[in-house]
Amino acid sequence: RFHDAARRHGRDHQHLKIAVVYAVYPSEDESELHSEEARAALGPLVISRARYLTANHSDPAEVPEHFRPGFEAYMRHRNSLTEETRHFENYEGYLVTVPDHLAGFVTPESIRTVVHVGDSDGVLAELQRMAAAGVDHVSLQIAGPPASWCQRMAPLLQRL
């Protein structure tokens, strides 16, 4: 679609670059998403997405269907705040930690709506699918402690 749009507007798509910021989390054990490590690593991304959606949309119908349950729950929380506390709450722990009062929003289901979770082969296949679609650059969000994340990702990226 990107290349088609470029051609329609008289642009040479060969000179256009496609970059994405994307979160992947290789996990060989599905139950790992229930662990404190995974919740701490991926929770900030979940909370960031909930905050973004509720700050920019007012109706669940405006967001993708798989985000609606979290959107509605977080919207109820957001609407309980004053304008001032809403502003400060919006940035508390931003992309670093999950404030205790928001921990309940971080579930395996909410993680899967924001992060591509799969075994190493599945995550590698997703990155290869993106490359085949024309993505030239991917910035992967470090999820959790950098050393742990690098140990998790290094073997996978060496296979690209």
Side-chain angles (χ1 to χ4, degrees):
R1 287 187 296 196
F2 181 76
H3 292 161
D4 290 343
R7 281 192 291 276
R8 277 194 311 274
H9 293 280
R11 302 281 309 269
D12 180 0
H13 73 279
Q14 299 297 324
H15 298 290
L16 301 175
K17 299 292 182 186
I18 302 173
V20 297
V21 176
Y22 195 59
V24 297
Y25 195 76
S27 174
E28 303 304 322
D29 181 357
E30 183 67 21
S31 68
E32 186 181 0
L33 292 184
H34 294 277
S35 74
E36 201 51 46
E37 179 184 342
R39 290 171 55 85
L42 303 170
L45 302 173
V46 170
I47 299 303
S48 171
R49 179 56 50 198
R51 287 170 169 164
Y52 173 83
L53 289 173
T54 58
N56 291 285
H57 301 282
S58 59
D59 188 292
E62 297 173 355
V63 302
E65 189 171 345
H66 63 278
F67 285 113
R68 289 179 190 163
F71 174 88
E72 290 169 339
Y74 190 79
M75 184 62 89
R76 284 190 297 277
H77 166 72
R78 191 171 190 274
N79 288 340
S80 73
L81 304 172
T82 67
E83 187 174 331
E84 182 177 338
T85 58
R86 185 180 311 126
H87 174 76
F88 288 114
E89 196 274 343
N90 197 52
Y91 294 101
E92 183 180 357
Y94 186 73
L95 288 179
V96 178
T97 62
V98 175
D100 289 341
H101 68 283
L102 300 178
F105 289 103
V106 182
T107 65
E109 294 75 26
S110 65
I111 289 170
R112 281 190 205 90
T113 64
V114 177
V115 179
H116 179 85
V117 178
D119 65 15
S120 294
D121 290 338
V123 170
L124 181 62
E126 177 67 6
L127 295 174
Q128 290 169 331
R129 184 188 68 77
M130 292 170 64
V135 173
D136 301 296
H137 179 82
V138 175
S139 294
L140 298 173
Q141 174 75 42
I142 292 178
S148 175
W149 188 86
C150 288
Q151 288 172 343
R152 183 181 292 272
M153 291 297 295
L156 184 139
L157 295 176
Q158 289 173 347
R159 294 172 45 201
L160 274 177

